[in-house]
Amino acid sequence: MGLLPVEQALAMLWEHTPGPDREGLSWHHALGRVLLEPALSLLDDPAFDRSSMDGYSLKAAGTHEGSRLPVTATILAGQCPSRPLELGGAVKVMTGAPIPSGADAVAPVEDCRESGGFVELIRPVRPGENIRYRGENLRAGETVFYPGRRLDALDVATGIALGIERAAVARRPSATILATGSELVEPGTSPGPGLIPNSNGPMLASLWRGWGGRLAGETCVPDGEEELEAAIRRGLESDYLVLSGGVSVGERDLVPELLGRAGVRRIFHKVAMKPGKPIYFGRREDTVVLGLPGNPVSSFVGALLFLQSSLHKRMGLPPLAWRTRHLAERHESGGGRTRFEPAVPVDGGGVNLLRHMGSADLPAWRGAEALVELPAGRAVFEAGSPLRVLLFRHLGRETGA
Ligand code: AMP
Ligand code: MG
């Protein structure tokens, strides 16, 4: 199989990823979840005519500087008026309290003097002043949120304020993450000669959870047929099986063959990109299988593009949001395949590429906040060139998996 252009690989991945499974949740437990159905307001907003200030509700017509009106009652927030406004009188109301019928304005306390049971206005009041009328923001039955929205803290609060109780959301898919390689030691163990810590496993697990997925397991497997085969079989019980390492053409790169033996249908293997060429994508029943190259930068870039895209489809989100940014400084690099480079946004809306030593140089990405695509076949990018960019610093959203 030849090298697939990135766009084509992403399109195939989208097509072959199953759509979302629906589940119902109480709205106030739906933080980080993606809506699959429109959410409709159950209340008018505001739900009743209410005061937006502490003040005196009254009839505005005929008021002038020096008007004196008897204060006939006080309504606190949470109370209801027991009777209509008396002609020529005023009812003291606190912020958020319902307005008595017959009143059409609220004179704020700052513009009044109260003594001996009377309120004196220091200026006339206009009709409608400081009253928020029932339904003026939004009516019951209106759509507040549309499918595809990932609910954040403000959305949770807004829905609750509008009386929404249930959310139809996408089930969070589970993933088993397998880091393959006989050179790997678990984090926290000091590596012996020739060995390295397994950093990809925790990276992929953290990304997955940050994006809203559930983690079924994260383990490290040596490059031995039996261990790998058993781990793959268990991993295929999750919605996603994500592997790092062993997908290229080295002596011990067993993953593609073992996946085939386990009944995984290969959809593509090898994409025309740098880093990350040997990416593998397959499917068995509803389980999505993604094999990422072991070099840490390749794993990260592959996860950002392919794992994240697939998860978007599986969770009912729109495809990844690429943006256009202009290169702040001229950049030269070998042409050939599409390249993905670490970058930082700079003042004025552009991006700067970070220097790095290739696909093993994860530390060079410490300051990176964006992935920049350098299109295939071009070696020189002048300052000001528009490039496609994927921002990633804002994407991690802990959902408490
Ligand atoms: P592979 O794709 O299996 O050929 O791995 C390529 C290189 O990536 C290996 O030689 C390791 O240096 C590195 N590598 C593989 N797996 C991991 C991992 N889980 N964590 C960190 N580095 C890894
Ligand atoms: Mg390996």
Side-chain angles (χ1 to χ4, degrees), residues 17 64 108 131 136-137 215 217 276 283 296 308 329 343 357:
T17 295
H64 53 83
I131 296 183
E136 74 175 19
N137 295 335
L215 195 62
R283 190 164 153 183
Q308 192 182 195
E329 287 170 14
M357 301 297 289

Side-chain angles (χ1 to χ4, degrees), residues 145-290:
F145 298 111
Y146 289 87
R149 186 174 183 104
R150 193 196 284 270
L151 299 178
D152 66 16
L154 283 179
D155 297 341
V156 171
T158 302
I160 290 170
L162 296 174
I164 303 175
E165 287 166 13
R166 301 292 296 171
V169 297
R171 183 174 67 78
R172 297 166 64 202
S174 62
T176 295
I177 294 177
L178 293 183
T180 74
S182 300
E183 74 277 32
L184 303 177
V185 298
E186 291 293 2
T189 319
S190 79
L195 305 183
I196 57 166
N198 164 25
S199 58
N200 287 347
M203 172 180 73
L204 296 169
S206 306
L207 286 171
W208 181 256
R209 292 173 56 168
W211 291 330
R214 255 177 333 114
L215 195 62
E218 186 236 308
T219 44
C220 205
V221 201
D223 298 310
E225 258 186 66
E226 266 174 45
E227 292 105 311
L228 211 46
E229 216 164 357
I232 285 173
R233 203 166 320 112
R234 278 194 305 277
L236 286 170
E237 287 165 20
S238 310
D239 298 310
Y240 279 76
L241 170 59
V242 184
L243 301 109
S244 121
V247 288
S248 48
V249 290
E251 284 274 310
R252 305 298 300 165
D253 289 334
L254 303 163
V255 167
E257 191 192 326
L258 295 184
L259 288 173
R261 267 194 243 163
V264 178
R265 184 164 57 94
R266 180 177 76 180
I267 293 161
F268 61 75
H269 184 197
K270 297 196 171 78
V271 179
M273 61 189 269
K274 188 180 171 185
K277 182 177 76 171
I279 282 177
Y280 175 104
F281 175 67
R283 190 164 153 183
R284 197 195 67 165
E285 293 165 11
D286 273 352
T287 299
V288 168
V289 180
L290 189 66

